[in-house]
Amino acid sequence: MKMHGLGNDFVVIDTRDGGPDPARVDAALARAMADRHRGIGFDQLALIRDGAEGLHLDFWNADGSRSAACGNATRCIAAREMARTGATTLAIATDHGTLQARSEGAEVAVNMGPPETRWDRIPLSREVETDALPLEGAPVATSMGNPHCTFFVPDAEAVDLAELGPRIEHDPLFPQRTNVQVASVIGPDRLRMRVWERGTGITLASGSSSCATAVAAHRRGLTGRAVTIVLDGGTLRIDWRADGVWMTGPTAHVFDGVWHG
């Protein structure tokens, strides 16, 4: 399946019920399918498989690297599963943990779990204050199952993200590399955010990046715990609650295909 959340697009391979062997999906396949000229093209690849706790998702970035979480892909797959089964709630296992999803009418909400703000759990390469990293611009570090580095700037549109993104992604402070966001406050509890995704590049949206940015903004005292994130591809609502960070927004199913690889 080809799916997207706010233009953040995915290929989803369902290996259940006679689908392909999950072992055939690897980094080389992810890179080949990600090629927008010779493959299908995507920001992330998601694989659905049967796990010990039921439905389990595995994720690859466009460069073939793995990710433990992908918020928008999780919402898209949850929407498909709920439409297929008639359920209005769903538990989805990932390497980040078991995530709860629920239908919100035309939209889908997913609880991405509690954020990690300790330096060794993000992870960072050395102990530093994660709410003001020792980098130019004093960004905030957060993990939502994958590492994030959020810069708060006067105007997110004015930042050369194509230059900043790869430089910060590969900074020695991030041993597993990092996603990079630039965000500015544009209203009460409303942020404009642009994202450079680790292993992919600039994307129209990112669910986990939106969650990390909302957490970082509240830690900095810029917003409350419930915020609206305006991305290049649309708008997500993020609510950092006692049980985790909930993300709500639209999903889209583009087409189905058959892989004959």
Side-chain angles (χ1 to χ4, degrees), residues 68-224:
C70 184
N72 275 329
T74 302
R75 288 193 312 104
C76 286
I77 293 166
R80 184 252 190 182
E81 286 294 300
M82 286 189 283
R84 186 177 67 87
T85 63
T88 57
T89 62
L90 190 66
I92 300 175
T94 71
D95 289 347
H96 177 47
T98 298
L99 309 182
Q100 303 300 317
R102 68 177 182 228
S103 173
E104 295 283 352
E107 298 185 326
V108 174
V110 167
N111 183 352
M112 294 297 292
E116 289 284 1
T117 59
R118 275 180 41 174
W119 72 274
D120 55 335
R121 292 184 178 176
I122 290 172
L124 304 178
S125 58
R126 65 183 189 277
E127 184 173 1
V128 296
E129 294 295 330
T130 62
D131 60 352
L133 297 178
L135 299 171
E136 183 178 359
V140 181
T142 313
S143 174
M144 292 302 311
N146 46 9
H148 297 270
C149 180
T150 308
F151 292 82
F152 291 100
V153 298
D155 182 5
E157 309 290 348
V159 175
D160 183 357
L161 189 57
E163 185 281 326
L164 177 70
R167 175 162 55 86
I168 299 300
E169 176 187 353
H170 295 278
D171 189 280
L173 188 59
F174 300 98
Q176 297 179 8
R177 300 184 293 163
T178 186
N179 300 281
V180 182
Q181 304 89 33
V182 292
S184 50
V185 178
I186 58 173
D189 293 326
R190 190 174 180 88
L191 300 169
R192 171 71 173 108
M193 190 264 279
R194 298 169 59 215
V195 59
W196 173 277
E197 287 206 72
R198 174 185 64 164
T200 298
I202 295 174
T203 57
L204 294 177
S206 169
S208 61
S209 289
S210 297
C211 293
T213 296
V215 169
H218 182 68
R219 291 179 70 197
R220 280 284 181 86
L222 300 174
T223 66

Side-chain angles (χ1 to χ4, degrees), residues 202-254:
I202 295 174
T203 57
L204 294 177
S206 169
S208 61
S209 289
S210 297
C211 293
T213 296
V215 169
H218 182 68
R219 291 179 70 197
R220 280 284 181 86
L222 300 174
T223 66
R225 295 174 74 96
V227 301
T228 298
I229 307 283
V230 180
L231 302 115
D232 289 340
T235 300
L236 288 171
R237 300 189 307 282
I238 310 298
D239 191 358
W240 183 10
R241 303 177 189 173
D243 63 344
V245 183
W246 283 87
M247 170 180 54
T248 306
T251 65
H253 176 262
V254 184

